[in-house]
């Protein structure tokens, strides 16, 4: 067996279904071997988008997606995806080709300290020492990515190992890693948590994406339905309990957080999204019941005095979109204002049906996430619709992945809220009045090309594109896209006033703390 086949067979044994990447020296043969083993290889246009797609597979399925990339800059382009997966606690694996061992320190082609570069943003990193050890490293990476707090893992494969052969009988393919064993909370702590919750005058449940990842929707819904507790979801906790549930108080989020006397955190972290659990956003005397798979997360930012920690498994434009997309759509949303508004208006009714910038606030994830979700829809969830709503700036990060979408004929409906800028755009008349020589000075730092026809990119590769300027036009093309083009990639480029989604540059949604210096 050559090294490429060993890699492929080891991935197959671990039940890896999807590998995303861009092949080149020294991993072309690895990509071919992966396909020969019956694993889906999805050739992307940028390694960053490929790594985002692999992470999304990990979140949606619970088993890691894999990203295969070339050496040097190819591997470095996956750093954002690895960091995004690790911060969000999603399992994924990057396999990077690297320069030959016998050329180390000689200035080899694309020689770079790749393992060291991955170490800061991955749970586990390794450089395979021999072909025979490759299955060991892959099994360990799969296990490490899933067990405890999930995250990214990196495996480095030197170039000479890809084509070098070893006797087949010398290779031991490791058995499939089983799902993580359940972690049971102390019965005494559970009883204490129940007593505290039942004594609360103003209880509140906060449903995080950890509850979605844990497939805990049945228990979360039972908790809300049986006892009538009000709840709010985190951005990606949406759908664990339906957004239109009568006990959802997201419309009064700030008031609910401030007035609650006991808050139950179901797979939600007290980070910037929840204002760190601190005043003035929270009652200074509020008690927290924190349920989390990671014991080290318990009490983070608030200490343990006000905490009962239970470590264990949980088990306008926009309104038209919400009205006309199927109820059970998988919604991908990114872009500063587009995502913020979409979190309120675009409702979710099922768990793991929302993907956005999440804890790391990563821009550019939209198309990679959409591709991952659409592959799962084709293979596992027929009939669902993948809807990607993003700003024009967010689309620009990975717009060429439209070609990937068309090449694999993925029926993604993409709606671009095009306001000619990042948050605040520039109108066409103002843009035309600025002399070309002065544009580096006079075009606002947030401004982009006015009236860009992004739908033409989709049309260039055989998909369907629309350009709309009014809500009635949007309603008409949404209906048409759901009937005549339900099985095709579609981009609806929606012209939005550059000032219509203006937002304070102070970013008031972030919690600020006065400097003590």
């Amino acid at each position: 067996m050559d090294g490429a086949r060993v890699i492929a067979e080891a991935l197959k044994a671990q039940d890896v279904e999807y590998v995303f990447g861009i092949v080149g020296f020294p991993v072309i043969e690895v990509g071919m071997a992966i396909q020969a083993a019956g694993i889906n290889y999805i050739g992307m246009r940028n390694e960053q988008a490929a790594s985002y797609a692999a992470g999304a597979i990990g979140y949606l399925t619970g088993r890691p997606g894999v990203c295969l990339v070339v050496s040097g800059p190819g591997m470095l382009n996956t750093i954002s995806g690895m960091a995004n997966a690790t911060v969000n606690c999603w399992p994924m694996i990057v396999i990077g080709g690297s320069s030959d061992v016998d050329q180390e320190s000689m200035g080899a082609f694309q020689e770079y300290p790749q393992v060291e570069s991955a170490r800061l943003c991955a749970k586990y990193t390794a450089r395979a020492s021999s072909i025979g050890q490759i299955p060991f490293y892959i099994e360990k990476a799969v296990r490490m990515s899933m067990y405890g707090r999930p995250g990214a893992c990196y495996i480095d494969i030197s170039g000479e190992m890809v084509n070098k052969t070893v006797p087949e009988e010398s290779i031991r393919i490791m058995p499939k890693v089983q799902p993580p064993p359940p972690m049971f909370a102390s019965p005494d702590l559970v009883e204490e948590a129940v007593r505290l919750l039942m004594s609360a005058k103003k209880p509140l449940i906060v449903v995080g994406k950890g509850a979605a990842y844990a497939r805990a929707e049945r228990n979360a819904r039972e908790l809300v339905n049986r006892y009538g507790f009000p709840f709010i979801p985190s951005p990606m906790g949406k759908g664990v309990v339906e957004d239109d549930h009568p006990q959802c108080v997201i419309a009064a989020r700030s008031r609910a957080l401030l007035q609650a006397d006991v808050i139950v955190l179901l797979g939600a972290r007290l980070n910037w999204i929840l204002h760190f659990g601190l005043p003035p956003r929270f009652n200074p005397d509020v008690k927290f019941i924190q349920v989390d798979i990671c014991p080290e997360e318990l009490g983070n930012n608030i200490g343990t005095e006000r905490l009962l920690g239970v470590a264990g498994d949980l088990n306008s434009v926009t309104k038209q979109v919400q009205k006309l997309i199927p109820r059970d759509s998988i919604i991908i949303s990114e872009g500063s204002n587009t995502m913020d508004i979409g979190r309120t208006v675009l409702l979710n009714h099922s768990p793991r049906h929302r993907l956005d910038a999440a804890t790391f606030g990563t821009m550019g994830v939209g198309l990679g996430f959409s591709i991952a979700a659409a592959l799962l829809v084709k293979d596992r969830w027929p009939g669902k619709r993948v809807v990607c709503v993003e700003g024009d700036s967010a689309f620009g990060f990975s717009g060429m992945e439209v070609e990937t979408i068309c090449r694999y004929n993925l029926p993604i409906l993409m709606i671009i809220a095009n306001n000619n800028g990042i948050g605040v755009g520039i109108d066409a008349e103002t843009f035309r009045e600025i002399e070309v020589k002065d544009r580096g000075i006079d075009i606002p730092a947030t401004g982009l090309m006015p009236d860009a026809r992004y739908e033409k990119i989709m049309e260039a590769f055989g998909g369907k594109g629309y350009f709309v300027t009014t809500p009635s036009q949007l309603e008409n093309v949404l209906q048409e896209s759901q009937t005549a083009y339900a099985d095709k990639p579609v981009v609806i480029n929606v012209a939005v006033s550059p000032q219509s989604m203006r937002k304070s540059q102070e970013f008031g949604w972030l919690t600020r703390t006065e400097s003590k210096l």
Side-chain angles (χ1 to χ4, degrees), residues 442-455:
D442 292 341
I443 292 179
T446 59
L448 298 174
M449 176 69 75
D451 303 331
R453 299 297 297 270
Y454 297 112
E455 80 283 358

mmCIF file of all heavy atoms in Angstrom, residues 442-455:
data_model
loop_
_atom_site.group_PDB
_atom_site.id
_atom_site.type_symbol
_atom_site.label_atom_id
_atom_site.label_comp_id
_atom_site.label_asym_id
_atom_site.label_seq_id
_atom_site.Cartn_x
_atom_site.Cartn_y
_atom_site.Cartn_z
ATOM 1 N N ASP A 442 -11.431 59.371 -0.396
ATOM 2 C CA ASP A 442 -12.802 59.842 -0.234
ATOM 3 C C ASP A 442 -13.856 58.750 -0.130
ATOM 4 O O ASP A 442 -14.961 59.004 0.349
ATOM 5 C CB ASP A 442 -13.156 60.775 -1.403
ATOM 6 C CG ASP A 442 -12.377 62.083 -1.347
ATOM 7 O OD1 ASP A 442 -11.857 62.409 -0.259
ATOM 8 O OD2 ASP A 442 -12.286 62.771 -2.376
ATOM 9 N N ILE A 443 -13.573 57.562 -0.633
ATOM 10 C CA ILE A 443 -14.541 56.474 -0.438
ATOM 11 C C ILE A 443 -14.475 56.043 1.023
ATOM 12 O O ILE A 443 -13.392 55.753 1.545
ATOM 13 C CB ILE A 443 -14.233 55.280 -1.355
ATOM 14 C CG1 ILE A 443 -14.486 55.650 -2.821
ATOM 15 C CG2 ILE A 443 -15.095 54.073 -0.984
ATOM 16 C CD1 ILE A 443 -14.193 54.540 -3.795
ATOM 17 N N PRO A 444 -15.623 55.989 1.719
ATOM 18 C CA PRO A 444 -15.603 55.566 3.120
ATOM 19 C C PRO A 444 -14.939 54.203 3.280
ATOM 20 O O PRO A 444 -15.021 53.346 2.388
ATOM 21 C CB PRO A 444 -17.084 55.500 3.488
ATOM 22 C CG PRO A 444 -17.782 56.363 2.493
ATOM 23 C CD PRO A 444 -16.983 56.280 1.229
ATOM 24 N N ALA A 445 -14.281 54.012 4.400
ATOM 25 C CA ALA A 445 -13.607 52.729 4.643
ATOM 26 C C ALA A 445 -14.588 51.567 4.613
ATOM 27 O O ALA A 445 -14.202 50.427 4.351
ATOM 28 C CB ALA A 445 -12.886 52.768 5.985
ATOM 29 N N THR A 446 -15.860 51.848 4.849
ATOM 30 C CA THR A 446 -16.878 50.791 4.822
ATOM 31 C C THR A 446 -17.498 50.608 3.447
ATOM 32 O O THR A 446 -18.324 49.724 3.258
ATOM 33 C CB THR A 446 -18.013 51.133 5.809
ATOM 34 O OG1 THR A 446 -18.591 52.395 5.435
ATOM 35 C CG2 THR A 446 -17.496 51.208 7.232
ATOM 36 N N GLY A 447 -17.136 51.450 2.467
ATOM 37 C CA GLY A 447 -17.804 51.429 1.175
ATOM 38 C C GLY A 447 -17.295 50.350 0.233
ATOM 39 O O GLY A 447 -16.099 50.055 0.183
ATOM 40 N N LEU A 448 -18.222 49.776 -0.543
ATOM 41 C CA LEU A 448 -17.905 48.824 -1.609
ATOM 42 C C LEU A 448 -18.494 49.340 -2.919
ATOM 43 O O LEU A 448 -19.232 50.322 -2.938
ATOM 44 C CB LEU A 448 -18.470 47.440 -1.278
ATOM 45 C CG LEU A 448 -17.926 46.761 -0.016
ATOM 46 C CD1 LEU A 448 -18.688 45.474 0.263
ATOM 47 C CD2 LEU A 448 -16.436 46.493 -0.129
ATOM 48 N N MET A 449 -18.184 48.673 -4.021
ATOM 49 C CA MET A 449 -18.687 49.075 -5.331
ATOM 50 C C MET A 449 -20.214 49.119 -5.323
ATOM 51 O O MET A 449 -20.862 48.114 -5.026
ATOM 52 C CB MET A 449 -18.207 48.089 -6.394
ATOM 53 C CG MET A 449 -18.749 48.366 -7.786
ATOM 54 S SD MET A 449 -18.100 49.862 -8.529
ATOM 55 C CE MET A 449 -16.442 49.310 -8.967
ATOM 56 N N PRO A 450 -20.806 50.259 -5.632
ATOM 57 C CA PRO A 450 -22.274 50.355 -5.616
ATOM 58 C C PRO A 450 -22.915 49.500 -6.697
ATOM 59 O O PRO A 450 -22.378 49.335 -7.793
ATOM 60 C CB PRO A 450 -22.535 51.848 -5.867
ATOM 61 C CG PRO A 450 -21.247 52.539 -5.572
ATOM 62 C CD PRO A 450 -20.166 51.547 -5.892
ATOM 63 N N ASP A 451 -24.073 48.971 -6.365
ATOM 64 C CA ASP A 451 -24.922 48.253 -7.321
ATOM 65 C C ASP A 451 -24.201 47.107 -8.013
ATOM 66 O O ASP A 451 -24.420 46.821 -9.199
ATOM 67 C CB ASP A 451 -25.482 49.217 -8.373
ATOM 68 C CG ASP A 451 -26.266 50.367 -7.741
ATOM 69 O OD1 ASP A 451 -26.826 50.155 -6.651
ATOM 70 O OD2 ASP A 451 -26.301 51.455 -8.334
ATOM 71 N N ALA A 452 -23.307 46.426 -7.310
ATOM 72 C CA ALA A 452 -22.592 45.287 -7.882
ATOM 73 C C ALA A 452 -23.583 44.173 -8.204
ATOM 74 O O ALA A 452 -24.457 43.838 -7.398
ATOM 75 C CB ALA A 452 -21.525 44.797 -6.908
ATOM 76 N N ARG A 453 -23.432 43.564 -9.361
ATOM 77 C CA ARG A 453 -24.382 42.544 -9.824
ATOM 78 C C ARG A 453 -23.855 41.147 -9.498
ATOM 79 O O ARG A 453 -23.433 40.379 -10.364
ATOM 80 C CB ARG A 453 -24.631 42.727 -11.320
ATOM 81 C CG ARG A 453 -25.234 44.078 -11.680
ATOM 82 C CD ARG A 453 -26.620 44.289 -11.079
ATOM 83 N NE ARG A 453 -27.563 43.335 -11.589
ATOM 84 C CZ ARG A 453 -28.303 43.535 -12.696
ATOM 85 N NH1 ARG A 453 -28.189 44.668 -13.360
ATOM 86 N NH2 ARG A 453 -29.140 42.613 -13.105
ATOM 87 N N TYR A 454 -23.917 40.812 -8.240
ATOM 88 C CA TYR A 454 -23.369 39.535 -7.777
ATOM 89 C C TYR A 454 -24.091 38.336 -8.385
ATOM 90 O O TYR A 454 -23.512 37.244 -8.497
ATOM 91 C CB TYR A 454 -23.437 39.463 -6.252
ATOM 92 C CG TYR A 454 -22.610 40.505 -5.562
ATOM 93 C CD1 TYR A 454 -23.218 41.531 -4.833
ATOM 94 C CD2 TYR A 454 -21.225 40.485 -5.623
ATOM 95 C CE1 TYR A 454 -22.458 42.500 -4.197
ATOM 96 C CE2 TYR A 454 -20.453 41.444 -4.984
ATOM 97 C CZ TYR A 454 -21.080 42.465 -4.272
ATOM 98 O OH TYR A 454 -20.328 43.414 -3.645
ATOM 99 N N GLU A 455 -25.356 38.516 -8.760
ATOM 100 C CA GLU A 455 -26.096 37.377 -9.323
ATOM 101 C C GLU A 455 -25.505 36.905 -10.648
ATOM 102 O O GLU A 455 -25.697 35.753 -11.055
ATOM 103 C CB GLU A 455 -27.570 37.739 -9.491
ATOM 104 C CG GLU A 455 -27.925 38.559 -10.713
ATOM 105 C CD GLU A 455 -27.563 40.037 -10.596
ATOM 106 O OE1 GLU A 455 -27.048 40.448 -9.527
ATOM 107 O OE2 GLU A 455 -27.802 40.783 -11.565
#
